[in-house]
Amino acid sequence: KQEVTQIPAALSVPEGENLVLNCSFTDSAIYNLQWFRQDPGKGLTSLLLIQSSQREQTSGRLNASLDKSSGRSTLYIAASQPGDSATYLCAVFYGGATNKLIFGTGTLLAVQP
Amino acid sequence: KAGVTQTPRYLIKTRGQQVTLSCSPISGHRSVSWYQQTPGQGLQFLFEYFSETQRNKGNFPGRFSGRQFSNSRSEMNVSTLELGDSALYLCASRLGGGYEQYFGPGTRLTVT
């Protein structure tokens, strides 16, 4: 069964800290992996997309890595700010017969000023 | 370029009624997917449409249905509403298979 797990479920850090969010997936035959951010009651904002052939992607203070063989991805946030507070979701896209995004349960991040 | 739009944003219905939600994808995107988000189940895939054809379907009862029009706009219909259908319904569009997905703001459906 294709499952995506995110650890930790919740995280609280003081402003300025660097932090790492983890995502693991059971089936390594992924097409790509996407990290999203969701603010309370809102839709999802795409942060980074990593294709299966890539090892990492960077956007500003965000860096996402992908290790297909171990079924893991990490999202690194540098110099965290209160505005980074949100739920972060990892989603894996499987092609072929699956042909859909499978989401993790998310990490709720609170950055304290 | 305008993002994915969904209407209405909020909806309150009574058990047994039916509801139709609408999604307009980003211009040029031919694929539209629908997801249901609840606190207990998280984000679950409902179905995907590409060029007016349903390409994939999640594990939901037949009360959930959808369609896509020639301009790529999509509608989702839920008949005989149940309390458990209360959720945030999210629509996402993309150019095609394997491309980045962009989500709309969602429709918050409350069934009383």
Side-chain angles (χ1 to χ4, degrees), chain A residues 19-38:
Chain A
L19 57 100
V20 174
L21 307 180
N22 297 291
C23 171
S24 61
F25 43 94
T26 54
D27 184 349
S28 62
I30 71 171
Y31 194 92
N32 59 43
L33 184 147
Q34 213 168 336
W35 281 94
F36 294 91
R37 167 191 172 134
Q38 185 175 33

Side-chain angles (χ1 to χ4, degrees), chain B residues 7 12 16-17 31-33 40 47-48 51 57 64 71 76 79 81 90 95-96 99-100 102 105-106 108:
Chain B
T7 57
I12 300 176
Q17 288 186 315
S31 166
V32 174
S33 298
F47 28 65
E48 180 191 14
S51 294
K57 191 179 191 313
F64 292 81
N71 61 359
M76 188 192 97
S79 62
L81 284 166
L90 292 162
L95 276 171
Y99 285 87
E100 189 168 359
Y102 296 89
R108 171 71 64 185

Side-chain angles (χ1 to χ4, degrees), chain B residues 6-75:
Chain B
Q6 292 186 245
T7 57
R9 293 292 313 280
Y10 303 92
L11 209 48
I12 300 176
K13 289 287 188 179
T14 304
R15 268 185 306 176
Q17 288 186 315
Q18 75 164 22
V19 66
T20 299
L21 312 181
S22 181
C23 171
S24 292
I26 291 172
S27 177
H29 286 192
R30 295 164 65 190
S31 166
V32 174
S33 298
W34 289 89
Y35 294 83
Q36 181 195 66
Q37 186 177 33
T38 59
Q41 298 297 319
L43 269 155
Q44 292 188 288
F45 172 79
L46 280 156
F47 28 65
E48 180 191 14
Y49 286 86
F50 185 86
S51 294
E52 302 179 64
T53 301
Q54 187 180 88
R55 201 156 67 164
N56 200 1
K57 191 179 191 313
N59 189 26
F60 278 82
R63 300 185 296 106
F64 292 81
S65 63
R67 60 178 175 168
Q68 187 180 34
F69 301 96
S70 59
N71 61 359
S72 292
R73 189 178 70 85
S74 177
E75 287 183 348

Side-chain angles (χ1 to χ4, degrees), chain A residues 5-13 17-24 33 35-38 47 50 62-66 72-78 80 84-90 106-111:
Chain A
T5 306
Q6 290 187 246
I7 294 173
L11 184 63
S12 180
V13 300
E17 262 200 21
N18 302 323
L19 57 100
V20 174
L21 307 180
N22 297 291
C23 171
S24 61
L33 184 147
W35 281 94
F36 294 91
R37 167 191 172 134
Q38 185 175 33
L47 298 173
I50 310 179
L62 305 179
N63 176 276
S65 68
L66 175 64
R72 292 183 183 184
S73 176
T74 61
L75 179 66
Y76 174 83
I77 302 177
S80 59
D84 294 331
S85 298
T87 296
Y88 290 80
L89 292 151
C90 161
T107 294
L108 177 60
L109 172 65
V111 181

